[in-house]
Amino acid sequence: MITVEQIAQAGVVGAGGAGFPTHIKLSGKADTVVINAAECEPLLHKDKELILHFGKRIVEGLAIGMKLVGANRGVIGIKGKYSKVIESLQSKLKAKMEIVPLDDIYPAGDEFVLVYQTLRRIIAPGAIPLSVGAVVMNVETVFNVSGVEKTPVIEKYVSVAGAVKNPCSVCVPIGAPLSKCLEAAGGAIIDDPAFVIGGAMMGVLAKDLSAPVTKTTGGIIVLPQDHFIVQRKSWDWNKTSRVGRASCDQCSHCTELCPRYLLGHPIEPHKSMRSLGFNLSREANVAGAQFCSECNLCSYCSCPEGLDPRGVNVQNKRRLLAEKKRWENPPFLPERTERLMSFRKTPTSQLMQRIGLNGFVNQGALLPDSVDVSEVEILLKQHIGAASVPTVQVGDSVEKGQTIAIRPVIDGKTALGVDLHASIAGRIIAISENSIRITKSK
């Protein structure tokens, strides 16, 4: 039986988001393990492709997770519209496992929304799924858990979408340049493209693709420089504050359609917007901002004025953190969920039209071969917790899958983190404070 220590040594972290070390998550006790197969970010398809190609392995990973946390139920949340994906997985399920079809909404993949849709349990503000007896993992994380006895995490699956010749999903060595993923998709079909790393809603804008693929890289979306998404992700705090202070008319649409507000949390983005001009202007005086999931629904879809409530919430969150302020025992109104949520969901089709993605091919078949690279840069911090510590030196030869960095020991205790491994066989050519570079063996 696979252990949590094996999972840590294999370098398994959440394959999306912030990269929380999976062995810590699986050290708890829960009655249900939920697999997040919602993949609600527009144009991304790699999770569905993993299910179609490696369904048995994903079920095995779910079984391992259930065993480790003592769960008597395993649930896989997949959008109901993906009937082919559901059908391919249904026959592979083991006892006490089930598929729950999800609505085609955004953000169905937010773990708070997912737990409600699959289990009808509402996570309190500031809490985690474990507080309601659930552990949530995404598809690729479970895929990695099931393979730890054979190989550590040295490859990443990435969707490449938007203005590219061949929208697809690719398997690439961790540490490979992001540009190699674009090459595998046939390159950009527009001049002077912009790149969003991650999803269109929650991803970040990149000037180029020289940075390395990490364990949390999920997608690359290629867009024209004048596209709505590119322009909005280019806003800085000065513009967010200035435009918001001048234009917000307090319609409260941002709050009324906020997924966390609909779950009963005390987050009200329109009050964050109000704080720009009134009541200790520009100060972190709206404590509910700390419960923002940063899904961007308010900024990209809900606001009729095209303002940036999410940006204001993020700024307030940072200030609250810097001031060490935390809202203890916040009000919680779960009854709001049953009363309002079913009437205020945001359909993905409506969202894609609103943010200008309907014109792109919405598919991403998995390419049959892994992307080949001659050099990789393995970042020492690809996860929540402490950076890993190199165990190799410049000039060392390494084999594919060999451990090259481990969790540090701080004050006599192993720190939160995971081990890292060589994603290609070769020679160590550089070690810095942030990364290890490996060139491929001739």
Side-chain angles (χ1 to χ4, degrees), residues 277-311:
F278 303 96
N279 186 20
L280 301 178
S281 176
R282 304 188 189 184
E283 295 298 323
N285 61 316
V286 183
Q290 72 189 70
F291 305 115
C292 174
S293 68
E294 304 182 26
C295 72
N296 250 328
L297 189 63
C298 57
S299 296
Y300 289 3
C301 188
S302 304
C303 179
E305 301 290 343
L307 306 181
D308 188 18
R310 180 262 189 191

Side-chain angles (χ1 to χ4, degrees), residues 69 154 175 185 198-199 210 222 238 248 270 272 279 291 293 331 363 372 394 441-442:
V69 302
I154 57 175
S210 59
V222 181
N238 179 62
C248 181
H270 76 284
S272 288
N279 186 20
F291 305 115
S293 68
Q363 62 184 30
D372 187 39
V394 173
S441 301
K442 300 294 184 180

